[in-house]
Amino acid sequence: MKPKKFKIKRVKLPGDKITCKQVTSLILDYLSGELSRQQARTFELHLFICPDCVAFLNTYKKTVEATGILKYAEVPADLRRRVREYLKKKMKNRPAGR
Amino acid sequence: VLYFCGADFYFAPVRMNRETSKGSFPSEAKSPFSERQERMLVARMAAGDHRAFDAIFRVYFNRVYRLAYKLLGSEPDAKDAVQEVFLAVYQKAGSFRGEAAFSTWLFRLTTNKALSRLRRKKKRDEVPIEDFLPEFRPDGHHRVRPVADWSEGVYDLLERKEFQRAVWRAVDSLRPADKAVVVLSDVEGLSNGEIGKTLGLSLPAVKARLHRARLFLRGKLAVHLGYSPT
């Protein structure tokens, strides 16, 4: 008699309602607080069971933070004077806009 | 709120898009002029008063340059854009209607001048965006697992010049419109609605571009740190 085959079925968890792909597409709205309460809950339930999406979200947030370093652009010394001299020459020949 | 997930912790969502009342150089200090004073200065400028132009130039030069530099990524390009902007301010002063603050008008003028320069520039630095976007299996899971969490060491990295250069390079390799959206959102702190008004894009278009650009930047930084972009 052949032994009976058992199919292993993975138990569905609440976080399985959405996939990693769907979670990724919702990150922007999640971070700006634009998801509905239900959507945010589904999103967070997925994070609860998916360390990959937690890592992805953390690195996404760090990327936004890293981009913020562009804030500190230095103005070269003497540039203002050079631009002002250029403009003086140009403005001599052109009337102001009316 | 601190949540627990396996060995990782993450925080509840925070509003990352700071709401600003105007799109007027939000990352910079406020103008010393009141809106009324600025309107008067612009009116005098339109009448050919060079001293009024000088006052505007002195106050706004650094802000215009910094914004142009962030968008163009090079000093000569930013300098040319600044010259174009102030020349346009002088010549078009009469077309300023005063419906928005002068600084908002100047902010939009700078963004659009920089963006048109960016579009004219040779596209040698652009890389296929798809190479750095996340990939998924047919069942919707991440294709490369586990996803590496390199966010922990970034605080120290942000101080390093070499990492800062990598961020600049990554932002520079975005397409012009995507770059403008990222700079206006994540550097200047404009809301998505204000970005839409400045660049003439719908709100869904701004959000789609911003998300895609951030995913691309994330992929580029991951590769720089030695991880898979996906």
Side-chain angles (χ1 to χ4, degrees):
Chain A
M1 191 181 150
K2 272 189 178 175
K4 200 178 173 184
K5 275 189 181 173
F6 287 99
K7 248 191 177 174
I8 299 171
K9 208 175 176 185
R10 191 170 165 262
V11 178
K12 281 264 181 189
L13 297 168
D16 283 332
K17 273 185 184 171
I18 52 172
T19 63
C20 302
K21 191 177 179 178
Q22 289 168 317
V23 163
T24 303
S25 69
L26 292 172
I27 290 179
L28 184 128
D29 285 334
Y30 175 72
L31 292 176
S32 55
E34 287 176 44
L35 291 184
S36 69
R37 189 175 285 190
Q38 182 58 43
Q39 283 176 317
R41 188 173 153 72
T42 310
F43 185 98
E44 285 167 358
L45 281 172
H46 181 87
L47 293 185
F48 201 73
I49 60 156
C50 182
D52 290 323
C53 281
V54 173
F56 197 92
L57 177 65
N58 285 342
T59 49
Y60 183 99
K61 282 159 74 173
K62 277 293 167 210
T63 302
V64 177
E65 199 178 313
T67 312
I69 63 166
L70 267 63
K71 215 170 264 180
Y72 310 105
E74 281 177 26
V75 183
D78 206 33
L79 184 69
R80 185 198 293 239
R81 187 190 56 75
R82 281 188 282 142
V83 172
R84 187 68 192 98
E85 273 172 15
Y86 168 87
L87 290 171
K88 257 185 193 166
K89 278 182 207 159
K90 286 275 175 189
M91 284 160 58
K92 253 186 195 172
N93 314 320
R94 298 183 197 197
R98 280 154 213 267
Chain B
V1 184
L2 196 64
Y3 293 89
F4 179 71
C5 176
D8 298 295
F9 289 92
Y10 66 94
F11 287 94
V14 284
R15 288 193 76 84
M16 296 192 79
N17 272 357
R18 286 146 288 166
E19 293 295 333
T20 48
S21 57
K22 299 168 198 165
S24 52
F25 302 95
S27 72
E28 304 273 352
K30 273 188 85 176
S31 159
F33 302 124
S34 67
E35 282 191 22
R36 191 170 157 269
Q37 285 171 322
E38 275 186 344
R39 272 201 297 274
M40 281 173 65
L41 280 172
V42 175
R44 280 171 49 195
M45 200 160 53
D49 184 344
H50 284 210
R51 280 179 307 174
F53 177 81
D54 274 338
I56 293 281
F57 180 81
R58 266 199 309 277
V59 167
Y60 284 108
F61 176 80
N62 283 358
R63 300 167 196 215
V64 169
Y65 174 81
R66 284 199 187 105
L67 178 61
Y69 184 80
K70 286 169 205 167
L71 289 164
L72 292 162
S74 96
E75 190 195 311
D77 285 339
K79 186 189 126 214
D80 290 348
V82 170
Q83 288 175 171
E84 265 182 41
V85 168
F86 280 106
L87 211 51
V89 165
Y90 179 69
Q91 289 175 323
K92 293 180 184 173
S95 69
F96 173 67
R97 301 267 167 261
E99 287 150 3
F102 173 74
S103 53
T104 307
W105 184 70
L106 187 56
F107 181 83
R108 287 186 190 158
L109 188 64
T110 309
T111 305
N112 289 316
K113 288 274 180 208
L115 199 53
S116 57
R117 285 193 82 81
L118 210 54
R119 286 184 175 130
R120 286 201 302 267
K121 255 175 79 176
K122 206 178 162 193
K123 295 175 178 175
R124 64 180 189 280
D125 296 337
E126 282 180 26
V127 290
I129 196 165
E130 291 75 19
D131 292 356
F132 296 90
L133 296 181
E135 287 178 16
F136 300 92
R137 298 195 312 224
D139 64 2
H141 284 296
H142 289 277
R143 186 175 292 282
V144 179
R145 298 170 82 182
V147 173
D149 189 349
W150 43 262
S151 64
E152 286 297 307
V154 172
Y155 278 119
D156 300 331
L157 280 170
L158 286 176
E159 300 294 317
R160 290 194 203 158
K161 290 272 178 230
E162 185 258 339
F163 185 74
Q164 291 175 7
R165 275 196 292 273
V167 176
W168 273 106
R169 274 200 305 275
V171 173
D172 253 348
S173 56
L174 283 166
R175 290 168 189 159
D178 295 345
K179 186 179 181 182
V181 170
V182 164
V183 169
L184 296 182
S185 171
D186 297 342
V187 184
E188 292 296 325
L190 259 67
S191 70
N192 293 336
E194 286 166 337
I195 296 169
K197 276 184 206 160
T198 305
L199 300 176
L201 295 171
S202 68
L203 188 59
V206 171
K207 285 166 76 171
R209 277 180 189 277
L210 179 61
H211 186 53
R212 203 170 147 85
R214 283 175 174 177
L215 291 175
F216 169 79
L217 293 176
R218 183 202 160 274
K220 287 283 275 185
L221 293 184
V223 169
H224 174 77
L225 296 170
Y227 297 102
S228 162
T230 62

